C-alpha cells in the first residue's frame, strides 16, 4: 500500500476501527440490563470496561514497537481475529465473572490494532493531509456508537436479548480480516532489532520532550473523564431520569451521530489552523457539557448538549494523534502511537472503575462534579502543548 491509494487505506482503517468498537462499546448501552441481570453495583459493572481497557492498554506499547520493526499487517489481522472470537464467545457467557474475563481477552487482542494500523495509515498519506485522513479513520468509533444506540433503541434489550448483540457485532471483524488480508500490501522493510535511532535511549529522549509528556498526561485525564461520562450516562438516564434503556439509547444517538462528523472536522481544522484552537475549543466544550447534562430538561435541550459534546468534545483524540506523528520520527511513530493509546486507555480503564465508585457513594451529582474536575486537570496538563503552538505561530 502506498500513497497512490490513500483513500483505500483510510477506508480499511475506518472499517476495522468500526468493527472493533462495536463489541467493545455495546456494553455501555446494555449496562442497565447487565446490572439488573447480575445484581451488581455501578463500580462492579465498570469492571466490564476496566478489564477490557487494562488488557488493551497493556498491549499498546509492545504492538507499536514490534510493528515498527516487523511490519503492521500481521498484527492488524491477529487483532481483528482475536477480538472478534472473544466477542462471539460472549454470546454464550453464563456468569458475570466469565464476562469480565472474556472482556479482558477481547481487550488484549484489540490492543494489537491501533498503533500498527494508524502507523500504516500515516505512511500512506502526505503530511499535509494527515489530519483529514486520521480524522476520517478515527470517525469509526462514532459510527459504531450510532449503530449501537440506534439498534438498542429500536430493537430493545429484553425482547431481543442482550447476548445477541455480541453475536451480531462479531461478524464485521471477520469481514475486515478478509479485506485486510487481500488488500493491504506491506511496503516497509523489516527493521529487525533496535539500533541507536530506535532503541530505548532514543525513545527516552522523546519522552523527555515537554510537549510529548504533556500530550500523554492530558490524554490520560481526558480519557478518564470522557469514558466515565460515556459509560454511565445511559445508566444515569435510566436510574435517575426515569427513561427506559431503549429511550436512553435513542437519546444517545444524537451524541454518537454527531461524532461521525467530529473527527473529520477536527482533522480539517488541525490541517488548516494548527492544534491550538481545536484543543481549546474541545476542552471548553466539555466544561459546558458536564455542567449542563445533570440540570437541563430531557428532550430538545438535552439533544442540543449531546450534539455539542459529540461534534466538538471529541477532537482531542485527533489532535493528540496528529501532533504526536509530527513530533515523532517515522521509524518511531508506531511506538509512540502505542504509548499514546496506552495512556488513553489507561484512563479509559481507570475512569469507570473509580468514578463508578464515586457514583455509588455520592450519587450522580457527585459523579458529574468529579468529571468536571478531571477536565480542569486536563486543561492544566495541556498548557505546554498550547504554549508550543502559539510560540510556533508567533515565529511564523
Amino acid at each position: 500500500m502506498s500513497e497512490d491509494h490513500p483513500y483505500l487505506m483510510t477506508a480499511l482503517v475506518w472499517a476495522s476501527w468500526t468493527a472493533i468498537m462495536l463489541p467493545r462499546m455495546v456494553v455501555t448501552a446494555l449496562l442497565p440490563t447487565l446490572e439488573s441481570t447480575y445484581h451488581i453495583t455501578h463500580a462492579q459493572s465498570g469492571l466490564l470496561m476496566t478489564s477490557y481497557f487494562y488488557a488493551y492498554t497493556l498491549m499498546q506499547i509492545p504492538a507499536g514497537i514490534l510493528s515498527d520493526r516487523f511490519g503492521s499487517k500481521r498484527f492488524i489481522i491477529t487483532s481483528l481475529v482475536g477480538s472478534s472470537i472473544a466477542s462471539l464467545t460472549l454470546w454464550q457467557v453464563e456468569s458475570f465473572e466469565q464476562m469480565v474475563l472474556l472482556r479482558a481477552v477481547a481487550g488484549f487482542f484489540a490492543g494489537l490494532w491501533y498503533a500498527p494500523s494508524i502507523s500504516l495509515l500515516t505512511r500512506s498519506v502526505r503530511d499535509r493531509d494527515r489530519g483529514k485522513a486520521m480524522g476520517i479513520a478515527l470517525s469509526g468509533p462514532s459510527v459504531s456508537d450510532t449503530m449501537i444506540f440506534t439498534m438498542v433503541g429500536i430493537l430493545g434489550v429484553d425482547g431481543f436479548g442482550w447476548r445477541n448483540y455480541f453475536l451480531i457485532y462479531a461478524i464485521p471483524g471477520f469481514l475486515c480480516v478478509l479485506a485486510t488480508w487481500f488488500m493491504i500490501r506491506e511496503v516497509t522493510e523489516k527493521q529487525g532489532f533496535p539500533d541507536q535511532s530506535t532503541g530505548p535511549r532514543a525513545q527516552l529522549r522523546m519522552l523527555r520532550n515537554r510537549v510529548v509528556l504533556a500530550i500523554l498526561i492530558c490524554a490520560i485525564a481526558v480519557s478518564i473523564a470522557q469514558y466515565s461520562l460515556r459509560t454511565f450516562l445511559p445508566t444515569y438516564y435510566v436510574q435517575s431520569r426515569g427513561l427506559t434503556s431503549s429511550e436512553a439509547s435513542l437519546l444517545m444517538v444524537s451524541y454518537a451521530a454527531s461524532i461521525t462528523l467530529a473527527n473529520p472536522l477536527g482533522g480539517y481544522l488541525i490541517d488548516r489552523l494548527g492544534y491550538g484552537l481545536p484543543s481549546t475549543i474541545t476542552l471548553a466544550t466539555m466544561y459546558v457539557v458536564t455542567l449542563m447534562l445533570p440540570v437541563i430538561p430531557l428532550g430538545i435541550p438535552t439533544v442540543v448538549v449531546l450534539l455539542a459534546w459529540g461534534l466538538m468534545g471529541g477532537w482531542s483524540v485527533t489532535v493528540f494523534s496528529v501532533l504526536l506523528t509530527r513530533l515523532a520520527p517515522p521509524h518511531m511513530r508506531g511506538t509512540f502511537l502505542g504509548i499514546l493509546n496506552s495512556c488513553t486507555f489507561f484512563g479509559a480503564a481507570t475512569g469507570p472503575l473509580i468514578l463508578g465508585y464515586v457514583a455509588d457513594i455520592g450519587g450522580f451529582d457527585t459523579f458529574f462534579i468529579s468529571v468536571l474536575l478531571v477536565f480542569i486537570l486536563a486543561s492544566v496538563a495541556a498548557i505546554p502543548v498550547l504554549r508550543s503552538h502559539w510560540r510556533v505561530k508567533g515565529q511564523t
Side-chain angles (χ1 to χ4, degrees):
M1 191 66 62
S2 69
E3 288 188 5
D4 294 333
H5 306 286
Y7 298 109
L8 178 58
M9 176 59 72
T10 302
L12 280 172
V13 173
W14 173 87
S16 297
W17 203 201
T18 303
I20 284 177
M21 289 294 291
L22 284 170
R24 174 193 297 181
M25 297 310 296
V26 71
V27 167
T28 61
L30 303 177
L31 216 54
T33 300
L34 294 173
E35 288 186 357
S36 176
T37 299
Y38 292 114
H39 307 290
I40 53 178
T41 66
H42 298 317
Q44 288 174 311
S45 67
L47 287 172
L48 294 173
M49 300 303 290
T50 296
S51 61
Y52 184 104
F53 285 133
Y54 274 139
Y56 184 91
T57 299
L58 180 67
M59 295 310 299
Q60 294 305 302
I61 297 175
I65 293 173
L66 292 174
S67 66
D68 277 343
R69 295 171 193 160
F70 303 115
S72 300
K73 182 175 178 178
R74 69 190 67 186
F75 294 97
I76 295 171
I77 290 175
T78 301
S79 175
L80 287 166
V81 171
S83 60
S84 297
I85 290 175
S87 175
L88 193 61
T89 308
L90 281 164
W91 174 43
Q92 292 295 321
V93 73
E94 293 296 333
S95 69
F96 175 71
E97 291 76 13
Q98 290 173 341
M99 194 172 191
V100 171
L101 177 61
L102 284 170
R103 288 284 289 174
V105 172
F108 175 88
F109 282 104
L112 297 172
W113 183 85
Y114 177 83
S117 62
I118 297 301
S119 179
L120 192 60
L121 176 62
T122 60
R123 294 197 299 269
S124 303
V125 298
R126 296 171 297 185
D127 182 71
R128 67 183 184 184
D129 297 325
R130 191 171 297 155
K132 291 189 288 291
M134 291 182 67
I136 293 170
L138 293 175
S139 69
S142 59
V143 174
S144 66
D145 274 351
T146 304
M147 293 172 62
I148 288 166
F149 287 124
T150 301
M151 285 188 65
V152 174
I154 294 174
L155 299 178
V157 179
D158 296 330
F160 185 73
W162 62 263
R163 298 175 187 276
N164 290 326
Y165 286 103
F166 290 106
L167 171 62
I168 292 171
Y169 289 154
I171 296 172
F174 294 116
L175 297 177
C176 288
V177 168
L178 295 176
T180 301
W181 180 269
F182 289 108
M183 299 177 72
I184 289 183
R185 178 172 54 87
E186 200 82 72
V187 298
T188 53
E189 296 182 1
K190 298 178 182 180
Q191 296 182 23
F193 293 99
D195 55 26
Q196 291 182 351
S197 65
T198 61
R201 290 185 180 179
Q203 295 163 9
L204 186 58
R205 284 195 298 270
M206 275 291 296
L207 286 172
R208 287 173 178 166
N209 183 303
R210 289 185 62 191
V211 177
V212 171
L213 190 59
I215 290 171
L216 300 179
I217 295 173
C218 191
I220 292 173
V222 168
S223 186
I224 287 173
Q226 286 271 29
Y227 274 88
S228 296
L229 200 58
R230 169 68 178 77
T231 297
F232 290 112
L233 195 57
T235 304
Y236 164 73
Y237 284 134
V238 171
Q239 296 185 359
S240 297
R241 303 296 288 269
L243 299 182
T244 65
S245 293
S246 294
E247 290 170 339
S249 290
L250 287 174
L251 190 61
M252 292 293 290
V253 168
S254 56
Y255 157 73
S258 61
I259 302 181
T260 305
L261 301 175
N263 282 301
L265 176 60
Y268 175 82
L269 292 175
I270 293 164
D271 286 341
R272 290 283 181 173
L273 305 174
Y275 50 86
L277 187 58
S279 300
T280 304
I281 291 173
T282 190
L283 288 170
T285 298
M286 290 315 303
Y287 293 158
V288 175
V289 168
T290 307
L291 287 169
M292 295 296 293
L293 280 174
V295 298
I296 57 173
L298 297 174
I300 298 299
T302 301
V303 170
V304 170
V305 173
L306 291 174
L307 286 171
W309 176 17
L311 190 60
M312 295 180 288
W315 294 351
S316 59
V317 175
T318 307
V319 170
F320 296 151
S321 299
V322 172
L323 179 54
L324 198 58
T325 61
R326 289 174 177 168
L327 291 171
H331 56 272
M332 286 199 291
R333 279 180 189 159
T335 299
F336 276 88
L337 284 168
I339 293 173
L340 172 62
N341 218 35
S342 182
C343 290
T344 297
F345 285 98
F346 173 80
T350 304
L353 182 63
I354 294 177
L355 295 186
Y357 182 74
V358 168
D360 283 332
I361 300 300
F364 277 106
D365 287 342
T366 306
F367 168 82
F368 283 111
I369 293 172
S370 300
V371 170
L372 181 62
L373 291 174
V374 177
F375 276 123
I376 292 173
L377 176 62
S379 299
V380 174
I383 289 174
V385 178
L386 298 176
R387 280 180 176 173
S388 71
H389 168 78
W390 296 116
R391 187 181 302 117
V392 171
K393 281 287 186 181
Q395 292 173 353
T396 56

